[in-house]
Amino acid sequence: KSKLSTQFHYFRSEHWFITQGKGSVFLDGKTQTLKKGNSIDIPKKSIHYIFYCSRLFISLDFLPDHI
């Protein structure tokens, strides 16, 4: 398994869409497994990271903080 660094953003939200592979997202103390076709919204000011079991590709959208 590989893990990306722990993240925290004051001024932006994110939307992750899994385009390939399988991984688990840690979001504010909870872990959720995602696979191809799944998505998750990451609110601003949340602690989050992803760790993956297979080759993983994510489409990442940064959402303006006024939405």
Short mmCIF file of all heavy atoms in Angstrom, two decimals:
data_model
loop_
_atom_site.label_atom_id
_atom_site.label_comp_id
_atom_site.label_asym_id
_atom_site.label_seq_id
_atom_site.Cartn_x
_atom_site.Cartn_y
_atom_site.Cartn_z
N LYS A 1 0.84 -1.19 0.00
CA LYS A 1 0.00 0.00 0.00
C LYS A 1 0.88 1.25 0.00
O LYS A 1 1.91 1.28 0.65
CB LYS A 1 -0.90 0.03 1.23
CG LYS A 1 -2.01 -0.98 1.22
CD LYS A 1 -2.89 -0.80 2.43
CE LYS A 1 -4.01 -1.80 2.40
NZ LYS A 1 -4.90 -1.68 3.53
N SER A 2 0.41 2.28 -0.69
CA SER A 2 1.08 3.56 -0.70
C SER A 2 0.11 4.61 -0.18
O SER A 2 -1.10 4.49 -0.34
CB SER A 2 1.52 3.93 -2.11
OG SER A 2 2.49 3.02 -2.55
N LYS A 3 0.66 5.67 0.42
CA LYS A 3 -0.18 6.71 1.02
C LYS A 3 0.32 8.07 0.57
O LYS A 3 1.51 8.32 0.57
CB LYS A 3 -0.12 6.59 2.54
CG LYS A 3 -0.86 7.67 3.28
CD LYS A 3 -0.60 7.54 4.79
CE LYS A 3 -1.09 8.71 5.57
NZ LYS A 3 -0.35 9.93 5.41
N LEU A 4 -0.61 8.93 0.22
CA LEU A 4 -0.28 10.32 -0.05
C LEU A 4 -0.25 11.07 1.27
O LEU A 4 -0.84 10.65 2.26
CB LEU A 4 -1.30 10.95 -0.99
CG LEU A 4 -1.40 10.32 -2.38
CD1 LEU A 4 -2.43 11.05 -3.22
CD2 LEU A 4 -0.05 10.34 -3.09
N SER A 5 0.41 12.21 1.31
CA SER A 5 0.55 12.97 2.55
C SER A 5 -0.81 13.44 3.06
O SER A 5 -1.75 13.65 2.31
CB SER A 5 1.46 14.17 2.32
OG SER A 5 0.90 15.05 1.38
N THR A 6 -0.87 13.62 4.37
CA THR A 6 -2.07 14.14 5.01
C THR A 6 -2.27 15.59 4.57
O THR A 6 -1.33 16.37 4.54
CB THR A 6 -1.94 14.04 6.54
OG1 THR A 6 -1.75 12.67 6.89
CG2 THR A 6 -3.19 14.56 7.23
N GLN A 7 -3.51 15.94 4.24
CA GLN A 7 -3.84 17.25 3.69
C GLN A 7 -4.86 17.97 4.57
O GLN A 7 -5.69 17.34 5.23
CB GLN A 7 -4.43 17.10 2.28
CG GLN A 7 -3.51 16.41 1.30
CD GLN A 7 -2.38 17.30 0.87
OE1 GLN A 7 -2.59 18.41 0.41
NE2 GLN A 7 -1.17 16.81 1.03
N PHE A 8 -4.83 19.30 4.52
CA PHE A 8 -5.79 20.17 5.20
C PHE A 8 -5.78 21.49 4.44
O PHE A 8 -4.71 22.07 4.22
CB PHE A 8 -5.36 20.40 6.65
CG PHE A 8 -6.29 21.29 7.43
CD1 PHE A 8 -7.34 20.75 8.14
CD2 PHE A 8 -6.10 22.66 7.45
CE1 PHE A 8 -8.20 21.57 8.86
CE2 PHE A 8 -6.96 23.48 8.16
CZ PHE A 8 -8.00 22.93 8.87
N HIS A 9 -6.95 21.97 4.02
CA HIS A 9 -7.03 23.21 3.24
C HIS A 9 -8.06 24.15 3.89
O HIS A 9 -9.20 23.76 4.10
CB HIS A 9 -7.46 22.94 1.80
CG HIS A 9 -6.71 21.83 1.15
ND1 HIS A 9 -5.38 21.92 0.82
CD2 HIS A 9 -7.09 20.58 0.80
CE1 HIS A 9 -4.97 20.78 0.29
NE2 HIS A 9 -5.99 19.95 0.27
N TYR A 10 -7.63 25.36 4.18
CA TYR A 10 -8.54 26.35 4.77
C TYR A 10 -9.54 26.91 3.78
O TYR A 10 -10.68 27.22 4.14
CB TYR A 10 -7.74 27.52 5.35
CG TYR A 10 -7.10 27.23 6.67
CD1 TYR A 10 -5.75 26.95 6.75
CD2 TYR A 10 -7.85 27.24 7.84
CE1 TYR A 10 -5.16 26.69 7.97
CE2 TYR A 10 -7.28 26.99 9.06
CZ TYR A 10 -5.92 26.71 9.13
OH TYR A 10 -5.33 26.44 10.33
N PHE A 11 -9.13 27.07 2.52
CA PHE A 11 -9.92 27.89 1.60
C PHE A 11 -10.47 27.16 0.39
O PHE A 11 -10.96 27.79 -0.52
CB PHE A 11 -9.07 29.08 1.13
CG PHE A 11 -8.60 29.93 2.27
CD1 PHE A 11 -7.26 29.95 2.63
CD2 PHE A 11 -9.49 30.69 3.01
CE1 PHE A 11 -6.82 30.73 3.69
CE2 PHE A 11 -9.07 31.46 4.07
CZ PHE A 11 -7.73 31.48 4.42
N ARG A 12 -10.37 25.84 0.35
CA ARG A 12 -10.93 25.15 -0.82
C ARG A 12 -11.49 23.79 -0.43
O ARG A 12 -11.01 23.14 0.48
CB ARG A 12 -9.90 25.00 -1.92
CG ARG A 12 -8.87 23.93 -1.66
CD ARG A 12 -8.11 23.58 -2.95
NE ARG A 12 -7.25 22.44 -2.72
CZ ARG A 12 -5.94 22.45 -2.87
NH1 ARG A 12 -5.34 23.53 -3.30
NH2 ARG A 12 -5.24 21.37 -2.63
N SER A 13 -12.51 23.42 -1.16
CA SER A 13 -13.07 22.07 -1.11
C SER A 13 -12.55 21.32 -2.33
O SER A 13 -12.08 21.93 -3.28
CB SER A 13 -14.60 22.13 -1.15
OG SER A 13 -15.10 22.86 -0.07
N GLU A 14 -12.65 20.00 -2.29
CA GLU A 14 -12.22 19.19 -3.42
C GLU A 14 -13.28 18.14 -3.74
O GLU A 14 -14.04 17.74 -2.86
CB GLU A 14 -10.90 18.48 -3.11
CG GLU A 14 -9.76 19.41 -2.85
CD GLU A 14 -8.49 18.71 -2.43
OE1 GLU A 14 -8.50 17.47 -2.19
OE2 GLU A 14 -7.47 19.39 -2.34
N HIS A 15 -13.30 17.72 -4.98
CA HIS A 15 -14.14 16.61 -5.41
C HIS A 15 -13.22 15.61 -6.10
O HIS A 15 -12.54 15.97 -7.06
CB HIS A 15 -15.23 17.07 -6.37
CG HIS A 15 -16.08 15.95 -6.89
ND1 HIS A 15 -17.09 15.40 -6.13
CD2 HIS A 15 -16.04 15.26 -8.05
CE1 HIS A 15 -17.64 14.41 -6.84
NE2 HIS A 15 -17.02 14.31 -8.00
N TRP A 16 -13.17 14.39 -5.57
CA TRP A 16 -12.32 13.34 -6.14
C TRP A 16 -13.20 12.33 -6.85
O TRP A 16 -14.19 11.85 -6.30
CB TRP A 16 -11.55 12.61 -5.06
CG TRP A 16 -10.53 13.42 -4.30
CD1 TRP A 16 -10.19 14.74 -4.51
CD2 TRP A 16 -9.74 12.97 -3.21
NE1 TRP A 16 -9.23 15.13 -3.62
CE2 TRP A 16 -8.93 14.05 -2.81
CE3 TRP A 16 -9.63 11.77 -2.53
CZ2 TRP A 16 -8.03 13.96 -1.75
CZ3 TRP A 16 -8.73 11.68 -1.49
CH2 TRP A 16 -7.94 12.76 -1.11
N PHE A 17 -12.85 12.00 -8.07
CA PHE A 17 -13.53 10.97 -8.86
C PHE A 17 -12.49 9.92 -9.23
O PHE A 17 -11.47 10.24 -9.84
CB PHE A 17 -14.16 11.57 -10.12
CG PHE A 17 -14.90 10.56 -10.94
CD1 PHE A 17 -16.16 10.13 -10.57
CD2 PHE A 17 -14.32 10.02 -12.08
CE1 PHE A 17 -16.84 9.18 -11.32
CE2 PHE A 17 -14.99 9.08 -12.83
CZ PHE A 17 -16.24 8.65 -12.45
N ILE A 18 -12.74 8.67 -8.86
CA ILE A 18 -11.79 7.59 -9.13
C ILE A 18 -12.01 7.10 -10.56
O ILE A 18 -13.09 6.61 -10.89
CB ILE A 18 -11.97 6.43 -8.13
CG1 ILE A 18 -11.97 6.93 -6.68
CG2 ILE A 18 -10.90 5.35 -8.35
CD1 ILE A 18 -10.76 7.72 -6.27
N THR A 19 -10.99 7.25 -11.39
CA THR A 19 -11.10 6.85 -12.79
C THR A 19 -10.51 5.46 -13.05
O THR A 19 -10.82 4.84 -14.06
CB THR A 19 -10.42 7.87 -13.72
OG1 THR A 19 -9.04 7.99 -13.35
CG2 THR A 19 -11.10 9.22 -13.60
N GLN A 20 -9.67 4.99 -12.12
CA GLN A 20 -9.08 3.66 -12.26
C GLN A 20 -8.53 3.22 -10.92
O GLN A 20 -8.02 4.02 -10.15
CB GLN A 20 -7.93 3.69 -13.28
CG GLN A 20 -7.27 2.34 -13.49
CD GLN A 20 -6.16 2.41 -14.53
OE1 GLN A 20 -6.28 3.12 -15.52
NE2 GLN A 20 -5.09 1.69 -14.31
N GLY A 21 -8.64 1.92 -10.63
CA GLY A 21 -8.03 1.36 -9.44
C GLY A 21 -8.94 1.34 -8.23
O GLY A 21 -10.15 1.52 -8.32
N LYS A 22 -8.32 1.13 -7.07
CA LYS A 22 -9.05 1.01 -5.81
C LYS A 22 -8.18 1.58 -4.69
O LYS A 22 -6.97 1.36 -4.66
CB LYS A 22 -9.35 -0.46 -5.53
CG LYS A 22 -10.05 -0.74 -4.23
CD LYS A 22 -10.27 -2.23 -4.06
CE LYS A 22 -10.88 -2.53 -2.70
NZ LYS A 22 -11.05 -3.97 -2.48
N GLY A 23 -8.80 2.31 -3.79
CA GLY A 23 -8.07 2.86 -2.66
C GLY A 23 -9.01 3.19 -1.53
O GLY A 23 -10.22 3.04 -1.63
N SER A 24 -8.44 3.66 -0.43
CA SER A 24 -9.22 4.06 0.73
C SER A 24 -8.92 5.50 1.06
O SER A 24 -7.77 5.94 1.02
CB SER A 24 -8.88 3.17 1.93
OG SER A 24 -9.27 1.84 1.68
N VAL A 25 -9.96 6.24 1.39
CA VAL A 25 -9.84 7.65 1.74
C VAL A 25 -10.06 7.79 3.23
O VAL A 25 -11.03 7.27 3.78
CB VAL A 25 -10.89 8.50 0.98
CG1 VAL A 25 -10.87 9.94 1.45
CG2 VAL A 25 -10.64 8.43 -0.51
N PHE A 26 -9.15 8.49 3.90
CA PHE A 26 -9.32 8.88 5.29
C PHE A 26 -9.84 10.30 5.27
O PHE A 26 -9.23 11.19 4.68
CB PHE A 26 -7.98 8.81 6.02
CG PHE A 26 -8.06 9.32 7.44
CD1 PHE A 26 -8.38 8.45 8.46
CD2 PHE A 26 -7.83 10.64 7.73
CE1 PHE A 26 -8.45 8.91 9.77
CE2 PHE A 26 -7.91 11.12 9.02
CZ PHE A 26 -8.22 10.25 10.05
N LEU A 27 -10.99 10.52 5.89
CA LEU A 27 -11.61 11.84 5.92
C LEU A 27 -12.15 12.10 7.32
O LEU A 27 -13.12 11.46 7.75
CB LEU A 27 -12.73 11.93 4.87
CG LEU A 27 -13.51 13.23 4.80
CD1 LEU A 27 -12.60 14.41 4.51
CD2 LEU A 27 -14.62 13.14 3.75
N ASP A 28 -11.49 12.99 8.04
CA ASP A 28 -11.91 13.39 9.39
C ASP A 28 -12.21 12.20 10.30
O ASP A 28 -13.27 12.12 10.92
CB ASP A 28 -13.11 14.32 9.32
CG ASP A 28 -12.74 15.71 8.81
OD1 ASP A 28 -11.57 16.10 8.97
OD2 ASP A 28 -13.61 16.39 8.27
N GLY A 29 -11.29 11.26 10.37
CA GLY A 29 -11.40 10.16 11.31
C GLY A 29 -12.11 8.92 10.80
O GLY A 29 -12.18 7.92 11.50
N LYS A 30 -12.66 8.98 9.60
CA LYS A 30 -13.36 7.83 9.03
C LYS A 30 -12.67 7.40 7.74
O LYS A 30 -12.15 8.22 7.00
CB LYS A 30 -14.82 8.17 8.74
CG LYS A 30 -15.61 8.52 9.99
CD LYS A 30 -17.04 8.86 9.66
CE LYS A 30 -17.77 9.27 10.92
NZ LYS A 30 -19.14 9.70 10.65
N THR A 31 -12.70 6.10 7.47
CA THR A 31 -12.09 5.55 6.26
C THR A 31 -13.16 4.96 5.37
O THR A 31 -14.06 4.27 5.85
CB THR A 31 -11.05 4.47 6.62
OG1 THR A 31 -10.07 5.05 7.49
CG2 THR A 31 -10.36 3.94 5.38
N GLN A 32 -13.08 5.25 4.09
CA GLN A 32 -14.04 4.75 3.11
C GLN A 32 -13.27 4.19 1.91
O GLN A 32 -12.37 4.85 1.40
CB GLN A 32 -14.95 5.90 2.66
CG GLN A 32 -15.98 5.52 1.64
CD GLN A 32 -16.87 6.70 1.27
OE1 GLN A 32 -16.85 7.75 1.87
NE2 GLN A 32 -17.65 6.52 0.23
N THR A 33 -13.62 2.99 1.47
CA THR A 33 -12.98 2.39 0.31
C THR A 33 -13.69 2.85 -0.96
O THR A 33 -14.92 2.85 -1.03
CB THR A 33 -13.01 0.85 0.40
OG1 THR A 33 -12.31 0.45 1.58
CG2 THR A 33 -12.36 0.20 -0.80
N LEU A 34 -12.90 3.26 -1.94
CA LEU A 34 -13.43 3.72 -3.22
C LEU A 34 -12.80 2.92 -4.34
O LEU A 34 -11.67 2.48 -4.25
CB LEU A 34 -13.10 5.21 -3.43
CG LEU A 34 -13.65 6.18 -2.40
CD1 LEU A 34 -13.14 7.58 -2.69
CD2 LEU A 34 -15.16 6.16 -2.37
N LYS A 35 -13.57 2.75 -5.42
CA LYS A 35 -13.07 2.06 -6.61
C LYS A 35 -13.51 2.83 -7.84
O LYS A 35 -14.22 3.84 -7.72
CB LYS A 35 -13.58 0.62 -6.65
CG LYS A 35 -15.09 0.51 -6.70
CD LYS A 35 -15.54 -0.92 -6.68
CE LYS A 35 -17.07 -0.97 -6.75
NZ LYS A 35 -17.58 -2.31 -6.75
N LYS A 36 -13.09 2.36 -9.00
CA LYS A 36 -13.42 3.03 -10.26
C LYS A 36 -14.90 3.38 -10.31
O LYS A 36 -15.76 2.55 -10.03
CB LYS A 36 -13.06 2.12 -11.43
CG LYS A 36 -13.35 2.72 -12.78
CD LYS A 36 -12.96 1.78 -13.90
CE LYS A 36 -13.32 2.38 -15.24
NZ LYS A 36 -12.95 1.50 -16.34
N GLY A 37 -15.19 4.64 -10.64
CA GLY A 37 -16.57 5.11 -10.76
C GLY A 37 -17.10 5.78 -9.51
O GLY A 37 -18.12 6.46 -9.56
N ASN A 38 -16.44 5.61 -8.36
CA ASN A 38 -16.86 6.25 -7.12
C ASN A 38 -16.31 7.67 -7.05
O ASN A 38 -15.31 8.00 -7.69
CB ASN A 38 -16.36 5.49 -5.89
CG ASN A 38 -16.97 4.13 -5.72
OD1 ASN A 38 -16.30 3.23 -5.22
ND2 ASN A 38 -18.20 3.91 -6.11
N SER A 39 -16.94 8.49 -6.22
CA SER A 39 -16.43 9.84 -5.98
C SER A 39 -16.65 10.21 -4.53
O SER A 39 -17.43 9.56 -3.82
CB SER A 39 -17.11 10.85 -6.91
OG SER A 39 -18.48 10.94 -6.62
N ILE A 40 -15.97 11.26 -4.10
CA ILE A 40 -16.12 11.75 -2.73
C ILE A 40 -15.87 13.25 -2.73
O ILE A 40 -15.04 13.76 -3.49
CB ILE A 40 -15.16 11.01 -1.76
CG1 ILE A 40 -15.48 11.36 -0.32
CG2 ILE A 40 -13.71 11.28 -2.11
CD1 ILE A 40 -14.78 10.46 0.69
N ASP A 41 -16.62 13.96 -1.90
CA ASP A 41 -16.41 15.39 -1.71
C ASP A 41 -15.58 15.60 -0.45
O ASP A 41 -15.87 15.01 0.60
CB ASP A 41 -17.75 16.12 -1.58
CG ASP A 41 -18.50 16.14 -2.89
OD1 ASP A 41 -17.86 16.43 -3.93
OD2 ASP A 41 -19.70 15.86 -2.90
N ILE A 42 -14.57 16.43 -0.55
CA ILE A 42 -13.69 16.74 0.55
C ILE A 42 -13.95 18.19 0.95
O ILE A 42 -13.58 19.12 0.23
CB ILE A 42 -12.19 16.59 0.15
CG1 ILE A 42 -11.93 15.24 -0.52
CG2 ILE A 42 -11.30 16.85 1.34
CD1 ILE A 42 -12.06 14.05 0.39
N PRO A 43 -14.64 18.42 2.07
CA PRO A 43 -14.94 19.80 2.49
C PRO A 43 -13.68 20.54 2.92
O PRO A 43 -12.71 19.93 3.38
CB PRO A 43 -15.87 19.62 3.70
CG PRO A 43 -16.29 18.19 3.70
CD PRO A 43 -15.23 17.43 2.98
N LYS A 44 -13.70 21.87 2.79
CA LYS A 44 -12.57 22.64 3.30
C LYS A 44 -12.46 22.42 4.81
O LYS A 44 -13.45 22.05 5.47
CB LYS A 44 -12.70 24.12 2.95
CG LYS A 44 -13.89 24.83 3.53
CD LYS A 44 -13.92 26.26 3.03
CE LYS A 44 -15.20 26.93 3.51
NZ LYS A 44 -15.30 28.29 3.03
N LYS A 45 -11.27 22.57 5.34
CA LYS A 45 -10.95 22.41 6.76
C LYS A 45 -11.11 20.98 7.25
O LYS A 45 -11.35 20.74 8.43
CB LYS A 45 -11.75 23.38 7.63
CG LYS A 45 -11.49 24.83 7.31
CD LYS A 45 -12.28 25.74 8.22
CE LYS A 45 -12.04 27.20 7.85
NZ LYS A 45 -12.82 28.10 8.69
N SER A 46 -11.01 20.00 6.35
CA SER A 46 -11.08 18.60 6.77
C SER A 46 -9.70 17.96 6.60
O SER A 46 -8.95 18.31 5.69
CB SER A 46 -12.12 17.83 5.96
OG SER A 46 -11.75 17.79 4.60
N ILE A 47 -9.38 17.05 7.49
CA ILE A 47 -8.13 16.30 7.41
C ILE A 47 -8.39 15.10 6.52
O ILE A 47 -9.34 14.35 6.75
CB ILE A 47 -7.67 15.87 8.81
CG1 ILE A 47 -7.37 17.10 9.66
CG2 ILE A 47 -6.45 14.95 8.72
CD1 ILE A 47 -7.13 16.80 11.11
N HIS A 48 -7.54 14.92 5.50
CA HIS A 48 -7.80 13.85 4.54
C HIS A 48 -6.52 13.36 3.86
O HIS A 48 -5.54 14.10 3.77
CB HIS A 48 -8.80 14.31 3.47
CG HIS A 48 -8.35 15.50 2.70
ND1 HIS A 48 -8.41 16.78 3.20
CD2 HIS A 48 -7.83 15.63 1.46
CE1 HIS A 48 -7.94 17.63 2.30
NE2 HIS A 48 -7.58 16.96 1.23
N TYR A 49 -6.56 12.13 3.45
CA TYR A 49 -5.51 11.54 2.62
C TYR A 49 -6.07 10.29 1.97
O TYR A 49 -7.15 9.81 2.31
CB TYR A 49 -4.23 11.24 3.41
CG TYR A 49 -4.38 10.26 4.54
CD1 TYR A 49 -4.35 8.89 4.32
CD2 TYR A 49 -4.52 10.71 5.85
CE1 TYR A 49 -4.47 7.99 5.38
CE2 TYR A 49 -4.63 9.82 6.91
CZ TYR A 49 -4.60 8.47 6.67
OH TYR A 49 -4.72 7.58 7.70
N ILE A 50 -5.34 9.77 1.00
CA ILE A 50 -5.76 8.54 0.33
C ILE A 50 -4.60 7.56 0.36
O ILE A 50 -3.44 7.94 0.26
CB ILE A 50 -6.24 8.82 -1.12
CG1 ILE A 50 -6.93 7.60 -1.69
CG2 ILE A 50 -5.10 9.31 -2.00
CD1 ILE A 50 -7.77 7.87 -2.92
N PHE A 51 -4.93 6.28 0.58
CA PHE A 51 -3.94 5.22 0.43
C PHE A 51 -4.54 4.19 -0.49
O PHE A 51 -5.77 4.01 -0.53
CB PHE A 51 -3.48 4.64 1.77
CG PHE A 51 -4.55 4.21 2.71
CD1 PHE A 51 -4.92 2.88 2.82
CD2 PHE A 51 -5.19 5.13 3.53
CE1 PHE A 51 -5.90 2.48 3.70
CE2 PHE A 51 -6.18 4.74 4.42
CZ PHE A 51 -6.52 3.40 4.51
N TYR A 52 -3.72 3.55 -1.29
CA TYR A 52 -4.26 2.73 -2.36
C TYR A 52 -3.63 1.35 -2.40
O TYR A 52 -2.48 1.16 -2.03
CB TYR A 52 -4.17 3.44 -3.71
CG TYR A 52 -2.86 4.08 -4.01
CD1 TYR A 52 -1.91 3.44 -4.78
CD2 TYR A 52 -2.57 5.36 -3.53
CE1 TYR A 52 -0.70 4.04 -5.07
CE2 TYR A 52 -1.35 5.96 -3.82
CZ TYR A 52 -0.43 5.30 -4.59
OH TYR A 52 0.76 5.90 -4.87
N CYS A 53 -4.43 0.40 -2.88
CA CYS A 53 -4.03 -1.00 -2.97
C CYS A 53 -3.63 -1.38 -4.39
O CYS A 53 -2.92 -2.36 -4.58
CB CYS A 53 -5.18 -1.90 -2.53
SG CYS A 53 -5.76 -1.55 -0.88
N SER A 54 -4.13 -0.68 -5.37
CA SER A 54 -3.81 -0.97 -6.77
C SER A 54 -3.51 0.35 -7.46
O SER A 54 -3.69 1.42 -6.89
CB SER A 54 -4.97 -1.69 -7.46
OG SER A 54 -6.11 -0.86 -7.53
N ARG A 55 -3.07 0.27 -8.68
CA ARG A 55 -2.78 1.50 -9.43
C ARG A 55 -4.03 2.37 -9.46
O ARG A 55 -5.09 1.93 -9.88
CB ARG A 55 -2.34 1.15 -10.84
CG ARG A 55 -1.80 2.30 -11.57
CD ARG A 55 -1.16 1.86 -12.85
NE ARG A 55 -0.57 3.01 -13.48
CZ ARG A 55 0.35 2.95 -14.40
NH1 ARG A 55 0.78 1.78 -14.81
NH2 ARG A 55 0.84 4.04 -14.92
N LEU A 56 -3.90 3.59 -9.00
CA LEU A 56 -5.06 4.45 -8.77
C LEU A 56 -4.89 5.76 -9.53
O LEU A 56 -3.83 6.38 -9.50
CB LEU A 56 -5.17 4.74 -7.27
CG LEU A 56 -6.32 5.59 -6.79
CD1 LEU A 56 -7.64 4.80 -6.92
CD2 LEU A 56 -6.12 5.99 -5.34
N PHE A 57 -5.96 6.17 -10.21
CA PHE A 57 -5.98 7.47 -10.88
C PHE A 57 -7.21 8.22 -10.38
O PHE A 57 -8.29 7.66 -10.28
CB PHE A 57 -6.06 7.32 -12.40
CG PHE A 57 -4.78 6.79 -12.99
CD1 PHE A 57 -4.62 5.43 -13.21
CD2 PHE A 57 -3.74 7.64 -13.31
CE1 PHE A 57 -3.45 4.93 -13.74
CE2 PHE A 57 -2.56 7.15 -13.84
CZ PHE A 57 -2.41 5.79 -14.06
N ILE A 58 -7.01 9.49 -10.07
CA ILE A 58 -8.07 10.33 -9.53
C ILE A 58 -8.22 11.56 -10.40
O ILE A 58 -7.23 12.21 -10.75
CB ILE A 58 -7.74 10.79 -8.10
CG1 ILE A 58 -7.53 9.60 -7.18
CG2 ILE A 58 -8.83 11.70 -7.55
CD1 ILE A 58 -6.98 9.98 -5.83
N SER A 59 -9.46 11.90 -10.74
CA SER A 59 -9.75 13.19 -11.34
C SER A 59 -10.09 14.12 -10.18
O SER A 59 -10.96 13.83 -9.38
CB SER A 59 -10.94 13.05 -12.29
OG SER A 59 -11.34 14.32 -12.75
N LEU A 60 -9.37 15.22 -10.07
CA LEU A 60 -9.49 16.10 -8.92
C LEU A 60 -10.00 17.46 -9.36
O LEU A 60 -9.42 18.10 -10.24
CB LEU A 60 -8.12 16.24 -8.26
CG LEU A 60 -7.97 17.19 -7.09
CD1 LEU A 60 -8.85 16.74 -5.93
CD2 LEU A 60 -6.52 17.22 -6.65
N ASP A 61 -11.11 17.90 -8.76
CA ASP A 61 -11.65 19.23 -9.02
C ASP A 61 -11.54 20.06 -7.75
O ASP A 61 -11.90 19.59 -6.67
CB ASP A 61 -13.13 19.16 -9.42
CG ASP A 61 -13.34 18.48 -10.75
OD1 ASP A 61 -12.55 18.74 -11.68
OD2 ASP A 61 -14.27 17.68 -10.87
N PHE A 62 -11.03 21.27 -7.89
CA PHE A 62 -10.99 22.20 -6.78
C PHE A 62 -12.24 23.07 -6.87
O PHE A 62 -12.51 23.67 -7.90
CB PHE A 62 -9.73 23.07 -6.84
CG PHE A 62 -8.48 22.26 -6.72
CD1 PHE A 62 -7.67 22.05 -7.83
CD2 PHE A 62 -8.12 21.68 -5.53
CE1 PHE A 62 -6.52 21.31 -7.72
CE2 PHE A 62 -6.97 20.93 -5.41
CZ PHE A 62 -6.16 20.75 -6.52
N LEU A 63 -12.98 23.15 -5.79
CA LEU A 63 -14.24 23.87 -5.78
C LEU A 63 -14.06 25.23 -5.10
O LEU A 63 -13.47 25.29 -4.03
CB LEU A 63 -15.31 23.05 -5.06
CG LEU A 63 -15.51 21.64 -5.60
CD1 LEU A 63 -16.49 20.87 -4.73
CD2 LEU A 63 -15.99 21.67 -7.03
N PRO A 64 -14.57 26.29 -5.70
CA PRO A 64 -14.47 27.61 -5.05
C PRO A 64 -15.10 27.58 -3.67
O PRO A 64 -16.08 26.88 -3.44
CB PRO A 64 -15.26 28.53 -6.00
CG PRO A 64 -15.31 27.81 -7.29
CD PRO A 64 -15.29 26.35 -6.96
N ASP A 65 -14.54 28.35 -2.76
CA ASP A 65 -15.02 28.30 -1.37
C ASP A 65 -16.39 28.94 -1.19
O ASP A 65 -16.99 28.81 -0.13
CB ASP A 65 -14.01 28.94 -0.41
CG ASP A 65 -13.79 30.40 -0.67
OD1 ASP A 65 -14.28 30.93 -1.69
OD2 ASP A 65 -13.11 31.04 0.16
N HIS A 66 -16.95 29.57 -2.19
CA HIS A 66 -18.28 30.18 -2.04
C HIS A 66 -19.41 29.24 -2.46
O HIS A 66 -20.56 29.59 -2.38
CB HIS A 66 -18.36 31.49 -2.84
CG HIS A 66 -18.21 31.29 -4.31
ND1 HIS A 66 -16.97 31.18 -4.91
CD2 HIS A 66 -19.11 31.18 -5.30
CE1 HIS A 66 -17.14 31.02 -6.21
NE2 HIS A 66 -18.42 31.01 -6.47
N ILE A 67 -19.09 28.03 -2.90
CA ILE A 67 -20.13 27.07 -3.31
C ILE A 67 -20.58 26.29 -2.10
O ILE A 67 -19.84 25.88 -1.28
CB ILE A 67 -19.63 26.12 -4.40
CG1 ILE A 67 -19.40 26.91 -5.67
CG2 ILE A 67 -20.62 25.00 -4.64
CD1 ILE A 67 -18.90 26.11 -6.86
#
